[in-house]
Amino acid sequence: RVVSTQSTGALIAHKYNKPVIVCCETYKFSERVQTDSILFNELADPKDMLRTKTGTGSPLADQEHSVNLVNLVYDATPPTLVSIVITEIAELPCSSAPVILRRDTKRC
């Protein structure tokens, strides 16, 4: 599972049969299983969701007092949407992440 802010882009690329390439250094690989994008996430200011880049009000602005806004910084991209992961070691499929983790554990 890739934790980033590109899950929507990966979903669109997958729909149009375009490859999704992730560049990541192996020290960022983790044994921790993340079941969704809410666990171990960071929160941004919810008021950011009420403003647009052009300065106009967001459609959420009218609902500010009736809904509880949560602005998550990261999302989780399922490995089925990732074509390849490029690391300093090699180009790898997502299924090879456990092999890299075992290799790094043995070196320590």
Side-chain angles (χ1 to χ4, degrees), residues 6 10 21 34 42 44 46-47 51 58-60 63 71 73 76 81 91 105:
Q6 297 301 316
I21 300 170
Q34 188 160 343
E42 295 179 27
K47 294 201 184 288
R51 296 183 291 270
S58 164
L60 293 173
Q63 307 297 322
N71 189 3
V73 174
L81 298 181
E91 298 174 2
T105 304

Side-chain angles (χ1 to χ4, degrees), residues 22-89:
V22 174
C23 297
C24 181
E25 295 175 298
T26 56
Y27 79 89
K28 294 181 180 181
F29 285 29
S30 174
E31 292 178 345
R32 182 173 59 199
V33 175
Q34 188 160 343
T35 55
D36 58 37
S37 61
I38 296 175
L39 298 175
F40 305 108
N41 207 324
E42 295 179 27
L43 296 175
D45 184 4
K47 294 201 184 288
D48 289 344
M49 297 172 69
L50 302 175
R51 296 183 291 270
T52 62
K53 291 181 181 181
T54 60
T56 60
S58 164
L60 293 173
D62 298 335
Q63 307 297 322
E64 180 181 6
H65 301 293
S66 60
V67 295
N68 193 9
L69 297 175
V70 177
N71 189 3
L72 299 175
V73 174
Y74 303 108
D75 57 14
T77 303
T80 55
L81 298 181
V82 177
S83 307
I84 196 161
V85 179
I86 299 176
T87 70
E88 71 274 12
I89 296 172

Side-chain angles (χ1 to χ4, degrees), residues 4-24:
S4 67
T5 57
Q6 297 301 316
S7 188
T8 304
L11 188 61
I12 293 169
H14 184 74
K15 176 171 176 27
Y16 288 99
N17 296 318
K18 300 295 179 186
V20 175
I21 300 170
V22 174
C23 297
C24 181

